[in-house]
Amino acid sequence: MIGFKSDWLYPSYQSRELVTFLKSRSVDVSYCEIDSTYGHDAFLLEVAQESHLIKHFLEKTFKNICV
């Protein structure tokens, strides 16, 4: 899960709470937070940082599937 520090519509603390809940149910989940000043629109503008995180996630997932 990716959160943005300045997002007021979906605040980071809610994302962290969701991750904590999912982990308590043994779901393989992780949380990354991007420091951005763009508020809720950060997901549209922080493409480079998001791409890096998503690429890492997909590579990790692909390696686990192919093993």
Side-chain angles (χ1 to χ4, degrees):
M1 184 174 291
I2 299 174
F4 299 92
K5 283 188 178 181
S6 60
D7 190 342
W8 52 268
L9 188 58
Y10 298 105
S12 299
Y13 78 88
Q14 289 180 340
S15 297
R16 289 190 303 270
E17 287 175 354
L18 182 56
V19 168
T20 300
F21 173 79
L22 291 170
K23 284 186 177 210
S24 74
R25 302 299 190 268
S26 300
V27 175
D28 184 15
V29 62
S30 61
Y31 177 74
C32 294
E33 190 168 279
I34 295 176
D35 189 12
S36 177
T37 59
Y38 297 117
H40 180 66
D41 291 338
F43 78 98
L44 297 169
L45 301 166
E46 299 292 358
V47 176
Q49 291 184 54
E50 288 176 275
S51 296
H52 174 75
L53 294 171
I54 293 168
K55 179 183 176 192
H56 174 73
F57 168 78
L58 292 175
E59 287 173 347
K60 180 181 172 188
T61 301
F62 182 74
K63 285 179 186 176
N64 289 339
I65 291 172
C66 293
V67 173

